[in-house]
Amino acid sequence: MSIQLDREITQDLERAARLEWLETNGLGGWAGTTVAGLNSRRSHGLLVAATPAGRQVLLSRLDETLHVDGGSFDLGCNQFPGTIAPQGFQHLASFTQDLFPVFEYEAGGVRLRKTVAAVDGENTTLVLYEVLEAPGPFILSLRPFIAARDLEALASANGEISQEISFADGTLRLHPYASTPEVFLLVPGAEFHSQPQWWYRFEYEADRRRGFDFQEDLWTPGLFGRELGAGDRFGVIVSTGSPAGRDAFVLFAKEQKRREKILHALPVQDSIARFLGLAADSFLIRKGSAVVAGYPWSGEDSREALIALPGLCLVTGRHDEARKILKTLSKTSKDPWLFVASWKYLQATGDEAFVRGTLLPALRKIQIEETGALGYNALRILSELETRLGDPVEAIHLAKQAKAVQKSFQETVQAEEVLALSLPFPILPKARAVRLLEGLTRLYTPAGLDGQAWLLGPYMTALVRVNGAAGKKQARKVIEALELGSLSNLYGAEPRAINVAEVLRAYVEDVGGEEAKRERKAKV
């Protein structure tokens, strides 16, 4: 499923500035802003790098201008006090989000395609330009704006920023402050005109509406210029590492292949699964085997990582990454969701050796104080694991404890009690489950269950479990009513791992993935 926006939306600033795209790099960094190209949050930027000192907005933006037959057409878009200047969204003919965000501009007889891609495993952003049509030769100029600050800060004009600029072999090299990494911009075949200066009072409207400070000064080192014609293409590399000897299109092809491989591994090959599967990838951090709870502000959260793990890693076939994450979390987490994640891992992989040697000892150390469905499932899972891989006598004792929890469980119509119908071991008999589901359905909206988007996954699981074939049809309607972009990387609020992961898990396991589910059962 690709998102396609035509000029009716892209040239409507109010609408295009509410839609945001996000490209993540597998380290916790990203590139992202609004479809209009207007930075509306301090977290927007073309290179937001994950550094030892935290995430830093290095390159805020790269504004393009077309110079055609004596006329100039600005493609960038900025907000200053009382005005939007320039208004490049007026030339944005379309926006498409599939594997990557793609923009097509039309101005002065030129049709220009721009694709943005974050490179996995490094703080590098690619900006690829292709000239689809042109009346003749023209100049494309690029002006970079440097923020060089922590994610939560705002930059102000100052005399401390380094004015040293090195440009050779198409590469601009900057080191704004001692506390930030170097920044490299490779613009092949371009000339560079040094014009170091501060631009003042960029405004971030979304931050203003939320009551935050919203004005920032940005520094520009100068202007790139390159002559182009119909059929030409060139790729810009923005990175914290030297781009010497690298080609943007080669890097892009490698990243494209990586993403296609992720999609090919999905057990369900329809547009919804592919869309969510690609979104799930953005929350996985390769270095340190971790999960980002959400963008832009959230870091790592062990509870949310455990809830999200089945959707991010298991239904997507990324079992090695699931194992690494569980190995890391089993050393520190005492959360009852570790039981559920461990059980799901065993179901998906049949990896008894890892569960017996690493996860079961960790689970034994957790004091199960949780009541209700989650506590019951923790006890049932530990009992099943002891029966299968450990101490059968202890398994009997745990099963008795689980029965006691089940007996004392009181049915309540609360959103979180959807877990009573969706966790691996249902706690309620069928008649009570039907009544609880009826109450939960009254809390359902396309935005979530009782306002919580991640509970849509458990809700779809509950629909299928309780209502069978009819429930599967109901769950499909939930998916159809859901704005998938609001969960993932085209968003108006902070996208969260558990939102994407739980909807994807339920879709594959319960709604759209019967064949995949049978294959997983055959492994166990």
Side-chain angles (χ1 to χ4, degrees):
M1 173 183 288
S2 63
I3 293 175
Q4 297 180 334
L5 307 178
D6 61 19
R7 67 183 73 228
E8 181 180 349
I9 295 176
T10 60
Q11 295 181 5
D12 181 335
L13 180 61
E14 184 178 351
R15 298 169 73 182
R18 288 200 307 265
L19 297 171
E20 305 174 36
W21 58 269
L22 183 70
E23 274 284 300
T24 61
N25 64 15
L27 297 177
W30 64 83
T33 183
T34 66
V35 167
L38 179 75
N39 286 359
S40 64
R41 309 174 191 271
R42 68 186 65 194
S43 59
H44 286 157
L46 196 58
L47 179 60
V48 181
T51 76
R55 288 176 286 193
Q56 297 183 338
V57 181
L58 299 179
L59 181 64
S60 177
R61 51 188 307 108
L62 187 65
D63 282 0
E64 303 97 349
T65 302
L66 302 177
H67 304 277
V68 187
D69 293 333
S72 294
F73 304 88
D74 292 314
L75 306 185
C77 186
N78 295 298
Q79 181 168 326
F80 298 99
T83 188
I84 303 293
Q87 299 187 10
F89 66 92
Q90 295 179 344
H91 306 301
L92 182 56
S94 69
F95 171 87
T96 303
Q97 173 82 54
D98 191 14
L99 287 181
F100 305 94
V102 179
F103 309 77
E104 287 198 8
Y105 296 92
E106 294 179 358
V110 173
R111 190 154 65 96
L112 183 71
R113 176 183 294 154
K114 178 175 76 173
T115 304
V116 181
V119 177
D120 187 65
E122 56 182 270
N123 290 310
T124 298
T125 303
L126 310 175
V127 187
L128 310 179
Y129 296 97
E130 300 171 82
V131 183
L132 304 180
E133 294 178 8
F138 67 96
I139 300 294
L140 173 65
S141 66
L142 304 173
R143 182 180 293 277
F145 287 96
I146 303 292
R149 57 163 169 84
D150 291 340
L151 179 63
E152 298 186 28
L154 287 171
S156 297
N158 63 82
E160 285 74 44
I161 193 167
S162 174
Q163 300 284 332
E164 292 187 16
I165 299 171
S166 168
F167 180 74
D169 299 323
T171 299
L172 181 69
R173 181 174 183 174
L174 309 166
H175 194 182
Y177 304 101
S179 59
T180 64
E182 286 187 295
V183 180
F184 297 84
L185 289 92
L186 171 61
V187 187
E191 296 180 350
F192 179 70
H193 305 281
S194 179
Q195 299 173 351
Q197 56 187 232
W198 285 95
W199 287 35
Y200 301 96
R201 299 175 71 186
F202 290 82
E203 291 191 345
Y204 304 135
E205 180 62 20
D207 285 349
R208 185 195 67 78
R209 290 198 303 266
R210 295 164 68 188
F212 297 160
D213 291 339
F214 61 94
Q215 289 188 339
E216 175 166 56
D217 303 331
L218 298 174
W219 183 76
T220 175
L223 199 64
F224 295 96
R226 169 155 175 174
E227 184 175 276
L228 296 169
D232 286 346
R233 69 175 195 171
F234 78 105
V236 174
I237 300 177
V238 185
S239 182
T240 57
S242 172
R246 310 187 85 186
D247 181 274
F249 286 94
V250 172
L251 293 173
F252 178 77
K254 182 179 178 181
E255 179 61 21
Q256 183 176 27
K257 185 176 180 179
R258 186 191 72 84
R259 298 186 191 194
E260 288 172 345
K261 184 177 179 181
I262 289 170
L263 296 179
H264 182 71
L266 293 174
V268 178
Q269 286 292 317
D270 64 17
S271 60
I272 293 173
R274 287 169 60 86
F275 184 91
L276 293 173
L278 196 62
D281 176 65
S282 66
F283 297 99
L284 293 171
I285 305 301
R286 257 59 81 187
K287 187 176 180 180
S289 301
V291 173
V292 170
Y295 292 98
W297 306 115
S298 300
E300 298 173 20
D301 182 292
S302 60
R303 185 180 182 88
E304 292 200 14
L306 290 167
I307 295 172
L309 185 137
L312 297 185
C313 297
L314 298 180
V315 302
T316 57
R318 303 174 75 156
H319 298 162
D320 288 345
E321 289 173 82
R323 178 184 173 122
K324 291 175 183 177
I325 293 169
L326 283 172
K327 184 177 181 179
T328 299
L329 293 178
S330 68
K331 297 175 182 177
T332 57
S333 178
K334 304 299 181 184
D335 195 284
W337 281 99
L338 182 60
F339 293 87
V340 179
S342 298
W343 181 252
K344 291 276 192 178
Y345 175 82
L346 180 60
Q347 284 186 306
T349 67
D351 187 358
E352 292 187 349
F354 176 66
V355 175
R356 181 189 292 110
T358 300
L359 298 181
L360 184 54
L363 296 175
R364 287 169 175 160
K365 295 177 182 178
I366 299 176
Q367 295 293 321
I368 304 171
E369 299 176 354
E370 189 93 25
T371 59
L374 191 54
Y376 171 71
N377 269 264
L379 289 166
R380 280 294 306 273
I381 288 168
L382 190 53
S383 175
E384 293 289 334
L385 292 179
E386 292 287 11
T387 298
R388 181 169 170 176
L389 305 173
D391 184 346
V393 175
E394 178 64 13
I396 295 172
H397 174 66
L398 290 165
K400 289 180 180 178
Q401 286 183 267
K403 281 189 176 293
V405 171
Q406 184 178 32
K407 185 176 180 181
S408 65
F409 179 76
Q410 298 296 315
E411 182 179 1
T412 57
V413 185
Q414 299 291 330
E416 60 268 21
E417 294 306 337
V418 70
L419 300 179
L421 307 178
S422 61
L423 287 172
F425 296 93
I427 193 171
L428 293 174
K430 181 64 180 284
R432 294 183 68 188
V434 169
R435 293 200 299 272
L436 176 56
L437 183 59
E438 290 173 352
L440 291 170
T441 298
R442 289 194 288 271
L443 299 175
Y444 160 75
T445 72
L449 199 66
D450 199 29
Q452 299 185 63
W454 80 272
L455 290 177
L456 288 173
Y459 178 61
M460 288 191 288
T461 297
L463 286 170
V464 177
R465 280 193 182 171
V466 175
N467 294 337
K472 182 172 288 191
K473 292 181 180 179
Q474 293 171 307
R476 285 191 178 278
K477 290 181 179 178
V478 171
I479 282 284
E480 290 168 4
L482 181 63
E483 292 185 8
L484 295 178
S486 67
L487 293 180
S488 54
N489 57 355
L490 194 71
Y491 63 96
E494 180 174 347
R496 301 196 66 81
I498 55 175
N499 296 353
V500 172
E502 271 300 283
V503 170
L504 177 58
R505 177 204 58 76
Y507 185 69
V508 173
E509 288 187 342
D510 304 303
V511 183
E514 287 298 318
E515 191 64 36
K517 192 160 56 176
R518 285 194 292 271
E519 290 177 3
R520 284 196 301 275
K521 285 182 178 179
K523 293 180 182 178
V524 181

